[in-house]
Structure formats: structure tokens, C-alpha cells
Amino acid sequence: MGFIPLPSSAGNNPSYLEAYNRILSSHRRSPLSSASSVIMLVAPNVDALCASRMLATLFKQDDVAYRIIPVSGRDEIDRMINELRNNLDLHTLIMINMGSYYDLPEPEWFGEFDLKVTVHVIDSARPQSLSNLFTGGENGDRILTWDDGQPDKLIEEKRSWEVVKYEPQAGSDEEDGDNEVMENENENEDEDEDINSTATGSPSLKRRKVTRNRNFYGRRKKISPEEYESHQKRIDKYYSSGTSHGQSAASTIYILATLLERADNDFLWLAILGLTFQYITSRISRDTYEAYHAIYYDEVSRLNLHPSDVDDTELLISVNPDDMSVRSTNELRFMLYRHWTLYDAMFHSSYVASKLGIWKERGRQRLTGLLAKMGFSIPQTQQPFPHMDMDLKKTLLKKLNDIAPEYGLIELSYPSFVRCYGFHTQPLSAADAVEGISALLDVAGGMRMEVEIEGMRNGGEWFGGGHLWEGTHSEKVSKQSQKNIEVTIPNNDSLTKDEKLEEVEGRPQEPLWWVKNFWAAYDALTDVTTLKRSLNLAMSLQRAIIRQGTSIIDKQDIRTMRNHRVVILTQGPDLALFCNPSILTRLALWLVDALRDRLPGTIFGSRTKKKVLPFVLACLNEPKARYTVVAIMASIDFGQIRKNQFTLAFLDARRQSNARVEFGTFDSSVVEIEEKDLKIFLEALSWLIFPHQQGNCADRNNLTAPEAQYMHQQQEHTPIEANTHQERGEEQAACNEVKHPMDQDIEGGFGGQEDLEDRYATTSGEH
């Protein structure tokens, strides 16, 4: 079996516990085991960090020497595989949040490794490679995918994969070779039978073997071309359905810790962070999140005593210096509101931006009007949340529930958790911790970031002070982490003159900036001081995202193509910042959320529902003369998730345009394109038909030359403009250039609310 199922559905098959015991057995059978015998390859995201920290703790408890190596993308993993081929001590390789896409049993991956090496894949990405799940034999059985029960549902896909993999199509060269083997065996069949019968007096083993081979080849000959094509289409449909995410890697390791009876609040908190990361980055839907939240809610109740003598507002306060408990709460959709000002937290929230349109003056007036109607004065909303009046903080949630629906804010909260840290700091919510750790991963080093000094406003209407983020404080790597660090050295061609001199002189090479960020974030998982400091970095990062997103909307830089919307960033003060795929993806998610109620959905067919168009963002990396391109699917409502179908679309566009495209990360919807190839690549991408559009758009080959030229000009030069009366066709809406309303007003408030907002806004000034 190539996959490890959930314990609840494993039955008599091995599950997580047996897979972990297999690692321990392999380690203990090797008396000379070193840290190079058990290696974890970890992707640079919050979920993978939490899973690796939990697994490292389990290994320490079992006296297993291990090594953690951060891996950023396909190039890095190719380099690691070449190095690991010569590692004679290696017997266990664990890939966390990577590897599920690739056919690992193949020779270019681990097919030629020593059979003693077992590869464990713990990856939340979907779809998973069918070769990893169903390849048999010694080479296939050592690829173990820790799954959440999905392979049990792939019965038809498994059958089709086996047919395509092992049974040749009728009339193929392989079938002709099989027929020759059968003829040769039939010629020797009688002779072998006579010899064996004379010697043993019983039916020969050779006869039974030939009969089995004949039946096997006979089954293979029965596959007709039509049936073979049907199986191939089923496999293609499985892979082309789009990428999504399943159970988080942190949740998988937490289940293992529960089976080992070692689950505690530290493990539970890391598992919650992995789940929260998936939710706030739109990797899982609201329904999926709430299903896992219910499980963790029971775990929180099991491992933590609920104080019975305090009310709900006091549950967010540590009861003693050693209080490290985890508690459930409702989290507002305001960015870091417990550590920011209430106005800034709401202003930088994508949900509030979507409903109020904060990129316009009228939207900011509505925000100040909402706060005024709630009874919150300007001085109160402009000071840090911990310093607000206690009465206002206690009544905040109730007033929001009473008044916010008048402004369209009806889903302001979602169930979540907080953790206490004694008297070191106020309790941190799971969402706040994820934001801080993500900021460390993205911009702790390698980028100049100015952060605000606590209690002072940096760059606002008040004169305040700020300072550059000092990455050295957050990059203090523990002694244990230093032992596990894998120093990544670039190719000699990319080294500068000084770096080459260092290499020649034998001096140690400095780790790359993203490797330093990885270890800074890894240590912050258990260091509350660093984690608390990272919140200021997260605020600065969110300001940059809102600043860039507002600029894109104000300048009408969003262009609508046939099947998606495009934004190209070529200049600006934060251009280098958005070359990071993770930050560029966050900007794309903010644009989707902010414009969800502003851009009407496109109708594909008269009988289908409206669908919003995907977003494609490209940012110019000037030093490399390349564009970083990310693509995300947009959904109509908050909490809904659509599978990302750009993986195959990017491949098709690259083939049609001959553009130089590289998939640099494990996210297949992120690519790097040469600067001069971007135009032809986007043009090819615009003519691809996604599955939900098939049959509704005219093919480009059916257009006349003038029509094709006209549509090309429209796609190149027509931005989204303010036009609330645009007529939209049903069948051709996805194929023609359409202008969408950007400045439509949101009707908010009742009974003289507009006058109150205007009066309040004139005294508040522009934020």
C-alpha cells in the first residue's frame, strides 16, 4: 500500500502509528545512525513549520537524531535529491507540504535510491499523484503518503490508472511484444510439460506459470482503444479538476501525537495554527474549517479547565503567571485588532474593504460613520486597543452585531482560539500568531521594512517615529536549530566576486535570506517574545498590501480578459516587496475580497449561475528582468473555495507561446516569466478555455481576422471603468471585453445615517 490512511478508516491496514514505529525501528536497527539518517524536507509556510516542530519534538522524546532542511521550490528539491543519492546513512526521508504532485517512484525522483530508504509524504496539496498512492512492488511500497482518507474514494481512478499503467492499448508495440512472448512460451509448453511430468508425476509448475501468463496477457489484449481512451480521460479529469488542499500537515502530526498519547497544549496550539493558516489564506472553505474547529474545540475542553467563576470577557486574561492554556473564542475579521488601533484594524481588513470600499473617500466616511454610530469617539479609535476604555472593549462585539449589519457587515466573526502566555504578554489569538509567523517567513530578512514604534504613529497625520526592522533580533537561531540548518549555496555562476573569494578561501557561506527567515519563524513558534515583536512587522506588511491594492483600484490598473482579470505591477515604492510570491498572493486575495461585491459576476451560459473571474497578478523583478506571476480563483461569497485550474492553463500557455516559464515554488499556480515573454504568455492564456467555460465561448479559430484584432486591442487597452449600466450578454459575456462598475455606492444606514456620516467625516480627516 502506497498511502497511510486515517486511523479511523485504516481497519487492519497500517496507519499513522505503524508508519511512525517503522521510522523508529529503522533508526534503532542502525547502530551508527546519525542526524543524516532521518531528514525532514520542509516547505516555507506556517503549516509545514508547525508540523516539523511537532515531529521534531516527538523525535527528541524518542532519542531519534534528525535533520531539518528548508526547501523553497523545485530547483532546491532537485539539488537535494542529487545530494541524498550519495548519503549512505539515509533510511528515512520526510517531505512536509511537498511531493504529492510528483511521481516519486519514478527514476528521476527516488526510483533509483537504495531500497532501504523510505519516503514519507505529508502534504495537504491536492490532487495527489496516483503513482504515489497505488504503485506496488518494493519501489512503490516505500513511498508512503500520509492521507486523510481521499484514496479510499478513488476507486474508479485507481482502476483507470492501473489500466493505463500496466495494460497496453490494442495494436501497440507493447502488445506485439507480449504476443511474441506468448508464442515462444507456447512452443516450449509441451516439452516443458513432458519433462516436468516425468520427473514429478504431477502437473508442472511451469505449466501453471504459462497459464497464468496467458491469462494475464489475454486480459491485456481485451482493452479496446475506446475503453483505453475512456480510462485516460478519467485520469485527465482527475488531474485537471484543479488544485486544492486537504487536511493540514499539522493536523496529521497532531493525530499521530494523540495516538502516541503525547498530545498536550503545545501540540494542540501548533495544530490550531496550521488549520488557521489554511483558513485565512483561503486554502479551505468555511465549512471545512468549522468541521476541524469542532474537533479542536473538544480537544481544548479535554486539555484545559474552563474557569467557572469568570465571565466571557475575562476569559481572554491569564489567570496566573504560569497560565499557558488554550481557550475558544470568536475572532473578529479585523487585522490584529488586539494589538493595533481599532480604526487601523478595520481599515486594513479585506472584509471591511469589500463592504465599505475604503479605497475611496466615501468608503472612509462610512467607516468613521459606523464607529460614530456605535458611540466610539475619534480619540478612542485612534489609540492602541489595549488602552481603550474597558467599557468600550466589553461592548464592542454587541454593538457591532447591532449596527454593523446596516452597513452590510453581517459576517464579522468566526470561531477560533486564543492562547495565554502567563504574564509575559496578553493572550494571542491563532490568527494573530499566524500573521506574525507569516511576516517573519516573508520579510524578516532580505527586505527593508519600517515598523511602527509602539504608542506612536509612523507616517500618519500625527508626528511619530518608526525604525527599520532589525532582522538580527528575530534571526537568533537556537543552538539546536544551528545543528540542523542546511546552508544553501547558489551556483557558482550566480556568486559575486567576494562570494567566490570566500568559497576559494574556504570560509563558511552565509545562509540565504529566506533560510534565515525560515529559522527565525521556526524559533518564534516557541518564543513568545519574538512572536510578539513580529506583530509590528505584520502590520507594516499589511499596510504595504493595502497601499498597493488601493493604488491599483484608484488607477484602474485591472484589465479584463476573456476568462480572467490581469494586474501588472511595473513600478512603485514596494515593487521589490511584491516580487515575493507569498506577498503577491496575499495582494491578489485582498483584491478578490475587496472587489467581490464591486465587480458583478460573469454569466457563463443561460442556465448557469454567475461566476467571478479569476485574478492574475504579475510583478516585475527588475534585477532579474523577470515577472513573478500568481493566479487565484475567485469565489462569489466569503468562505467559499474554488479549485485553482491555472496549473494546466500555465502549461498550455507556455506550450502555445513558447515563453520561458519556470515553476519556482511548490505552488503550481505561481510561475516566473522572462520580461519580454510576458505579453505573448498572457495573450495565450487569455484564449484558453477553463472547464466551466467549455461550450460557451467561441473558439479563436472561428473568428475573422478583424474580429480577432479588435478583441486583442480591447484586451490590451481597456481597463475596468465606472459604468453601472453596462449591458452584459449571457453567452458572450466570457468572450468579450466587458467594463465593470468600480465606483457604485453601497447603501448603508437608515433614517438620516448619511447626514451623520458626513458630519463625522468632516472632522476626522482622511486616514
Side-chain angles (χ1 to χ4, degrees):
M1 178 181 293
F3 63 92
I4 305 298
L6 283 169
S8 58
S9 60
N12 296 327
N13 296 320
S15 185
Y16 296 170
L17 184 59
E18 288 75 15
Y20 181 75
N21 289 334
R22 180 175 178 176
I23 297 175
L24 298 184
S25 300
S26 299
H27 182 77
R28 291 164 181 168
R29 283 197 303 265
S30 303
L32 300 179
S33 295
S34 63
S36 297
S37 60
V38 178
I39 295 180
M40 286 188 279
L41 303 182
V42 185
N45 59 62
V46 176
D47 181 31
L49 275 176
C50 295
S52 63
R53 170 64 81 172
M54 297 164 68
L55 195 55
T57 302
L58 293 177
F59 284 152
K60 290 178 182 178
Q61 295 172 354
D62 290 318
D63 295 328
V64 175
Y66 65 92
R67 187 181 179 192
I68 296 178
I69 302 177
V71 179
S72 62
R74 176 63 188 266
D75 292 339
E76 288 292 326
I77 199 172
D78 288 343
R79 182 182 64 83
M80 287 306 309
I81 289 177
N82 293 331
E83 293 182 3
L84 295 176
R85 293 180 192 275
N86 302 323
N87 186 352
L88 301 180
D89 296 333
L90 178 66
H91 61 72
T92 299
L93 182 66
I94 304 173
M95 306 176 70
I96 301 180
N97 272 357
M98 68 181 76
S100 64
Y101 288 146
Y102 310 122
D103 296 335
L104 301 183
E106 297 300 322
E108 59 268 20
W109 288 95
F110 302 105
E112 297 179 351
F113 272 56
D114 194 308
L115 291 178
K116 72 175 183 179
V117 178
T118 303
V119 181
H120 298 259
V121 181
I122 307 175
D123 192 358
S124 63
R126 303 292 184 271
Q128 297 169 315
S129 169
L130 296 177
S131 296
N132 296 347
L133 299 177
F134 304 125
T135 298
E138 293 181 344
N139 193 35
D141 290 342
R142 65 173 175 171
I143 307 295
L144 302 179
T145 301
W146 295 41
D147 195 75
D148 56 357
Q150 290 298 321
D152 295 333
K153 304 176 183 178
L154 302 177
I155 300 176
E156 296 296 330
E157 287 78 3
K158 178 182 179 181
R159 170 57 184 160
S160 297
W161 177 83
E162 290 175 343
V163 170
V164 174
K165 180 72 174 180
Y166 299 114
E167 301 183 14
Q169 186 177 0
S172 64
D173 295 338
E174 185 177 353
E175 184 190 15
D176 295 338
D178 295 340
N179 292 335
E180 293 179 2
V181 173
M182 290 181 61
E183 292 176 359
N184 294 334
E185 290 178 344
N186 289 334
E187 292 176 358
N188 299 327
E189 179 180 343
D190 295 336
E191 180 180 355
D192 292 337
E193 182 179 3
D194 293 340
I195 296 175
N196 289 316
S197 297
T198 303
T200 62
S202 62
S204 67
L205 296 177
K206 179 68 175 180
R207 171 68 176 179
R208 289 197 295 268
K209 179 178 179 181
V210 171
T211 302
R212 286 196 300 269
N213 288 338
R214 178 185 300 171
N215 293 335
F216 176 71
Y217 291 123
R219 288 196 303 271
R220 298 176 72 177
K221 290 176 61 178
K222 293 180 181 179
I223 301 300
S224 64
E226 293 77 11
E227 186 178 358
Y228 190 91
E229 183 179 359
S230 175
H231 288 295
Q232 185 64 57
K233 286 183 177 180
R234 182 178 290 115
I235 296 177
D236 294 341
K237 181 180 179 181
Y238 169 75
Y239 285 118
S240 63
S241 61
T243 59
S244 59
H245 290 82
Q247 177 178 277
S248 68
S251 297
T252 300
I253 303 301
Y254 182 77
I255 294 175
L256 172 62
T258 303
L259 295 174
L260 294 171
E261 298 182 353
R262 302 180 193 175
D264 55 15
N265 274 337
D266 292 335
F267 279 88
L268 177 59
W269 180 243
L270 292 175
I272 290 173
L273 293 185
L275 174 65
T276 305
F277 166 76
Q278 285 190 314
Y279 180 60
I280 66 178
T281 56
S282 299
R283 299 189 176 206
I284 58 176
S285 65
R286 175 67 179 266
D287 294 338
T288 303
Y289 172 79
E290 290 184 346
Y292 282 102
H293 175 273
I295 297 175
Y296 289 133
Y297 182 87
D298 294 339
E299 290 295 298
V300 168
S301 301
R302 181 175 68 89
L303 297 175
N304 300 270
L305 294 177
H306 188 285
S308 58
D309 56 344
V310 297
D311 57 22
D312 292 339
T313 58
E314 295 176 342
L315 284 177
L316 302 181
I317 301 176
S318 299
V319 296
N320 58 66
D322 299 324
D323 185 9
M324 300 292 289
S325 61
V326 180
R327 302 169 186 173
S328 61
T329 185
N330 285 325
E331 183 73 11
L332 291 174
R333 295 183 184 273
F334 301 156
M335 180 73 179
L336 299 170
Y337 76 94
R338 297 183 183 89
H339 314 276
W340 218 343
T341 68
L342 181 59
Y343 184 91
D344 282 335
M346 298 180 69
F347 181 85
H348 293 91
S349 166
S350 60
Y351 182 75
V352 175
S354 172
K355 301 300 181 180
L356 302 184
I358 51 88
W359 55 85
K360 296 187 301 182
E361 177 62 27
R362 187 169 181 81
R364 291 188 283 270
Q365 291 176 2
R366 293 185 184 280
L367 176 57
T368 54
L370 168 62
L371 294 172
K373 192 171 184 179
M374 291 170 54
F376 286 68
S377 64
I378 294 177
Q380 287 291 332
T381 60
Q382 298 288 0
Q383 64 178 328
F385 186 82
H387 300 160
M388 288 179 58
D389 291 346
M390 185 61 67
D391 293 339
L392 295 179
K393 290 191 289 186
K394 288 184 177 181
T395 59
L396 174 62
L397 186 58
K398 181 180 183 301
K399 290 184 177 180
L400 283 173
N401 292 332
D402 293 340
I403 301 175
E406 300 177 9
Y407 293 80
L409 303 173
I410 58 177
E411 296 181 1
L412 276 177
S413 63
Y414 61 93
S416 186
F417 303 93
V418 298
R419 186 174 192 188
C420 299
Y421 289 94
F423 290 171
H424 291 284
T425 182
Q426 61 176 317
L428 288 178
S429 69
D432 294 346
V434 169
E435 292 290 350
I437 296 170
S438 298
L440 290 176
L441 278 171
D442 294 334
V443 292
M447 185 69 59
R448 289 174 58 88
M449 292 292 295
E450 188 170 346
V451 297
E452 182 178 298
I453 297 177
E454 185 176 358
M456 305 182 69
R457 299 187 59 85
N458 177 32
E461 55 264 33
W462 286 274
F463 291 100
H467 63 85
L468 291 177
W469 170 261
E470 297 178 1
T472 54
H473 290 285
S474 64
E475 292 170 5
K476 292 181 179 179
V477 183
S478 63
K479 295 182 180 180
Q480 182 63 33
S481 299
Q482 288 180 348
K483 296 179 182 179
N484 299 329
I485 286 182
E486 168 68 14
V487 178
T488 304
I489 302 177
N491 295 329
N492 291 335
D493 294 338
S494 62
L495 294 178
T496 63
K497 182 177 180 180
D498 294 337
E499 290 173 335
K500 290 181 179 179
L501 181 61
E502 288 183 2
E503 189 178 25
V504 172
E505 294 178 356
R507 288 181 290 180
Q509 184 73 26
E510 185 74 11
L512 296 179
W513 64 268
W514 67 267
V515 177
K516 295 181 180 180
N517 292 357
F518 177 92
W519 291 111
Y522 183 86
D523 290 339
L525 291 174
T526 54
D527 183 2
V528 65
T529 302
T530 302
L531 182 58
K532 184 179 179 181
R533 290 185 65 251
S534 68
L535 299 181
N536 291 330
L537 186 62
M539 295 176 189
S540 298
L541 180 59
Q542 186 68 8
R543 283 195 188 95
I545 293 174
I546 301 300
R547 184 167 57 245
Q548 185 65 57
T550 302
S551 174
I552 290 173
I553 298 175
D554 287 342
K555 296 180 180 179
Q556 298 183 357
D557 288 337
I558 304 176
R559 303 181 183 275
T560 301
M561 312 296 280
R562 295 175 65 249
N563 51 17
H564 61 274
R565 296 188 172 97
V566 177
V567 177
I568 302 177
L569 305 178
T570 58
Q571 58 184 355
D574 301 315
L575 188 64
L577 181 66
F578 291 101
C579 292
N580 187 322
S582 176
I583 301 176
L584 190 60
T585 301
R586 292 183 59 176
L587 174 61
L589 291 173
W590 185 88
L591 287 173
V592 169
D593 290 339
L595 301 177
R596 177 174 282 113
D597 295 336
R598 298 283 169 163
L599 299 180
T602 301
I603 301 177
F604 295 113
S606 58
R607 297 183 180 180
T608 59
K609 297 181 179 179
K610 288 185 177 181
K611 297 180 181 294
V612 290
L613 294 179
F615 260 90
V616 177
L617 268 69
C619 181
L620 176 61
N621 189 333
E622 293 179 320
K624 294 183 178 180
R626 285 185 174 185
Y627 278 94
T628 301
V629 180
V630 302
I632 62 173
M633 305 296 290
S635 57
I636 295 179
D637 298 323
F638 276 93
Q640 293 183 353
I641 299 298
R642 294 172 59 193
K643 291 185 177 181
N644 197 321
Q645 299 169 343
F646 274 95
T647 302
L648 296 180
F650 280 163
L651 293 174
D652 292 340
R654 179 177 65 176
R655 183 180 64 253
Q656 295 180 14
S657 63
N658 292 325
R660 285 163 290 184
V661 180
E662 293 183 3
F663 290 82
T665 68
F666 295 116
D667 188 349
S668 55
S669 60
V670 177
V671 296
E672 288 188 356
I673 305 174
E674 293 292 333
E675 182 178 0
K676 60 182 180 180
D677 293 339
L678 179 67
K679 182 177 180 180
I680 59 174
F681 178 83
L682 292 179
E683 181 180 358
L685 187 65
S686 67
W687 290 106
L688 295 176
I689 299 179
F690 290 95
H692 62 266
Q693 296 172 282
Q694 291 180 359
N696 296 318
C697 295
D699 187 79
R700 185 177 186 180
N701 295 329
N702 296 329
L703 298 176
T704 63
E707 290 174 340
Q709 183 179 4
Y710 170 77
M711 294 184 67
H712 174 71
Q713 292 174 350
Q714 289 290 96
Q715 293 165 0
E716 286 291 327
H717 303 293
T718 305
I720 300 176
E721 298 179 359
N723 185 358
T724 58
H725 303 289
Q726 178 72 37
E727 294 293 331
R728 306 175 59 85
E730 293 183 347
E731 293 293 336
Q732 294 297 326
C735 303
N736 297 334
E737 183 66 20
V738 181
K739 299 178 181 179
H740 295 283
M742 290 290 296
D743 294 326
Q744 59 181 359
D745 294 331
I746 294 181
E747 294 298 327
F750 301 93
Q753 177 66 22
E754 299 292 335
D755 295 337
L756 176 62
E757 292 174 355
D758 292 339
R759 290 197 302 270
Y760 194 90
T762 56
T763 60
S764 64
E766 181 178 353
H767 178 72

